[in-house]
Amino acid sequence: MFTPKEVKRILFTEDEISRYVNSLGERLTCDYSEKNPLFVCVLKGACVFFSDLIRRVECPLEIAFLSAESYCGTQSTGEVELSFDKLPEISGRYVVLVEDIVDTARTLSLVKEKLAARNPASIKVCCLLDKPSRRVVSGFTADYTGVEIDDLFVVGYGLDYDQRFRNLPYIGILEEP
Ligand code: PRP
């Protein structure tokens, strides 16, 4: 298995990740079976989780993409750059925003605010990882969460450090840079 020297230890194996994704897929299948939801991948970090998750949701759905970026190295810049170029009309749609991780929640709170102005029927958030101890936007919670984690810098399964390590099939803890 490819384990870069910067990865201190594995936090979640592929099997453990699969269990979280399956469980989220089951819940979303129950809640959206009659709604033809629009699942929106928040690029880039969510791309791997998104592709696994949508295959665990057993009802009709459509997909779309937007991009959001706010990290430089291990630090949030506090400024979120958004691009909605690939987003279709969402008025009246049941939107599920899919994220790899909620940290300060600056990204998702801004994305939700911008999308809410486009009059969807609802907007819910599904994240694989949640770091509640790092919240800056107080009170922000995801509607569907795979697992809560401590304040660790994690990489793999789509998550990066300076654009590296997204291709690791597991989630690992990065050695302090
Ligand atoms: C990461 C992650 C989330 C966001 C979460 O994205 O994918 O979008 O940070 O952090 P927050 O809750 O503090 O806003 P990043 O800005 O690193 O861009 P990326 O998705 O392209 O990796």
Side-chain angles (χ1 to χ4, degrees), residues 113-171:
E113 182 190 315
K114 300 278 185 198
L115 296 192
R118 299 182 181 203
N119 299 312
S122 73
I123 307 179
K124 302 285 184 188
V125 170
C126 175
C127 69
L128 177 61
L129 306 177
D130 189 2
K131 272 191 209 175
S133 63
R134 292 259 307 161
R135 269 315 176 275
V136 169
V137 182
S138 63
F140 187 97
T141 54
D143 303 281
Y144 302 87
T145 300
V147 59
E148 288 188 2
I149 61 170
D150 293 334
D151 185 12
L152 303 163
F153 198 90
V154 284
V155 294
Y157 198 69
L159 293 140
D160 74 309
Y161 169 65
D162 273 349
Q163 305 304 326
R164 300 165 61 204
F165 311 120
R166 295 192 199 270
N167 58 322
L168 302 179
Y170 51 84
I171 293 172

Side-chain angles (χ1 to χ4, degrees), residues 2 26 30 34 41 58-59 66 77 87 91 99 140 173-174 176:
F2 171 48
E26 283 171 15
C30 286
E34 305 295 328
C41 175
E58 298 181 6
C59 66
L66 62 81
T77 62
L87 202 64
S91 173
E99 259 291 21
F140 187 97
I173 298 170
L174 195 74
E176 285 301 319

Side-chain angles (χ1 to χ4, degrees), residues 2-152:
F2 171 48
T3 309
K5 63 180 184 330
E6 295 92 338
V7 174
K8 197 160 54 176
R9 70 179 171 88
I10 292 175
L11 184 62
F12 298 120
T13 63
E14 287 186 75
D15 283 349
E16 287 168 328
I17 294 168
S18 278
R19 283 198 282 276
Y20 294 127
V21 176
N22 288 346
S23 166
L24 290 168
E26 283 171 15
R27 291 179 59 200
L28 289 160
T29 302
C30 286
D31 293 353
Y32 285 91
S33 59
E34 305 295 328
K35 294 181 170 151
N36 187 31
L38 182 68
F39 275 55
V40 178
C41 175
V42 182
L43 295 169
K44 300 177 202 166
C47 65
V48 181
F49 171 47
F50 184 79
S51 67
D52 283 344
L53 180 70
I54 58 172
R55 288 176 289 166
R56 299 291 173 270
V57 180
E58 298 181 6
C59 66
L61 61 77
E62 295 174 26
I63 65 170
F65 300 87
L66 62 81
S67 72
E69 194 170 358
S70 67
Y71 273 74
C72 184
T74 59
Q75 299 300 315
S76 170
T77 62
E79 300 288 320
V80 184
E81 283 181 36
L82 298 178
S83 169
F84 293 154
D85 294 352
K86 300 279 184 216
L87 202 64
E89 171 71 49
I90 63 165
S91 173
R93 300 296 305 268
Y94 292 87
V95 174
V96 180
L97 285 170
V98 179
E99 259 291 21
D100 49 346
I101 188 165
V102 184
D103 192 333
T104 65
R106 284 193 187 106
T107 302
L108 278 174
S109 61
L110 186 63
V111 169
K112 271 188 91 171
E113 182 190 315
K114 300 278 185 198
L115 296 192
R118 299 182 181 203
N119 299 312
S122 73
I123 307 179
K124 302 285 184 188
V125 170
C126 175
C127 69
L128 177 61
L129 306 177
D130 189 2
K131 272 191 209 175
S133 63
R134 292 259 307 161
R135 269 315 176 275
V136 169
V137 182
S138 63
F140 187 97
T141 54
D143 303 281
Y144 302 87
T145 300
V147 59
E148 288 188 2
I149 61 170
D150 293 334
D151 185 12
L152 303 163

